[in-house]
């Protein structure tokens, strides 16, 4: 039996038109295949397989346009090495990649968004032991500065799209 789950909502351009879409994980036979589903409202207008498989040990944690080309890119994270990689995509095609900053021990990257309105997505970090949050400001894949966010109380959880 196959199960589908929406992993990440994304904004993108498809044939010159701006649409909302989703990256869908299809779980069948123990393997996850990722697809872009191109949506206009609730109407499916197209689909394409995403670059797969991900490298061993890496997980897809966010999508954002890191290189300002109008296409969503993948932010990958390896919890064992604490490394990050940005996969630059042209629609569903991997065209380039760059290592991002390595995270300190105890922290994980959980989302990406442009928090300081400079046109570049930034990392949202979370420390599960201390429940502290932090934003790392980036320019493309380069760390620029950081600011601590709130420490979450036990009653709250950090959930990213």
């Amino acid at each position: 039996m196959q199960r589908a789950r929406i992993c990440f909502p994304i904004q993108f351009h498809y044939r010159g038109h701006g649409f909302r879409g989703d990256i869908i994980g299809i779980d069948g036979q123990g393997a996850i295949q990722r697809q872009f589903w191109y949506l206009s409202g609730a109407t499916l207008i197209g689909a394409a397989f995403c670059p797969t498989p991900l490298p061993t040990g890496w997980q897809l944690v966010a999508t954002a346009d890191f290189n300002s080309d109008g296409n969503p890119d993948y932010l990958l994270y390896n919890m064992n090495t604490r490394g990050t990689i940005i996969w630059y995509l042209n629609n569903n095609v991997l065209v380039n990649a760059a290592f991002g900053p390595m995270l300190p021990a105890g922290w994980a990257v959980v989302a990406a968004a442009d928090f300081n309105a400079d046109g570049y997505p930034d990392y949202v970090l979370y420390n599960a032991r201390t429940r502290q949050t932090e934003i790392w400001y980036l320019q493309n894949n380069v760390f620029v500065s950081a600011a601590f966010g709130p420490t979450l109380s036990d009653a709250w959880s950090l959930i990213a799209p």
Side-chain angles (χ1 to χ4, degrees):
M1 181 171 119
Q2 289 190 339
R3 295 175 297 157
R5 60 185 171 87
I6 297 175
C7 298
F8 300 101
I10 57 173
Q11 299 291 326
F12 61 92
H13 293 276
Y14 177 72
R15 296 187 180 165
H17 302 283
F19 291 102
R20 182 187 162 276
D22 296 295
I23 295 178
I24 306 295
I26 306 296
D27 185 2
Q29 308 286 325
I32 294 177
Q33 296 178 332
R34 290 165 185 84
Q35 295 180 2
F36 285 119
W37 281 16
Y38 305 117
L39 305 174
S40 180
T43 304
L44 178 68
I45 59 172
F49 282 100
C50 300
T52 55
L54 298 178
T56 302
W58 293 84
Q59 62 187 29
L60 175 62
V61 294
T63 60
D65 185 7
F66 284 92
N67 59 352
S68 303
D69 68 352
N71 292 301
D73 305 307
Y74 281 2
L75 172 56
L76 305 180
Y77 172 65
N78 186 314
M79 68 170 46
N80 297 317
T81 66
R82 301 184 322 271
T84 61
I85 295 178
I86 299 168
W87 277 10
Y88 302 106
L89 305 177
N90 183 356
N91 290 317
N92 66 320
V93 178
L94 176 64
V95 294
N96 204 352
F99 285 101
M102 180 145 329
L103 307 184
W107 292 84
V109 61
V110 295
D114 184 5
F115 285 91
N116 57 352
D118 67 351
Y120 295 100
D122 307 305
Y123 288 3
V124 178
L125 277 58
Y126 179 66
N127 185 315
R129 186 181 56 77
T130 65
R131 303 188 57 77
Q132 179 69 49
T133 61
E134 188 172 8
I135 297 170
W136 278 16
Y137 300 105
L138 305 176
Q139 285 188 352
N140 198 338
N141 65 319
V142 178
F143 174 84
V144 175
S145 65
F148 282 107
T151 298
L152 303 181
S153 72
D154 290 338
W156 292 92
S157 296
L158 182 63
I159 299 174

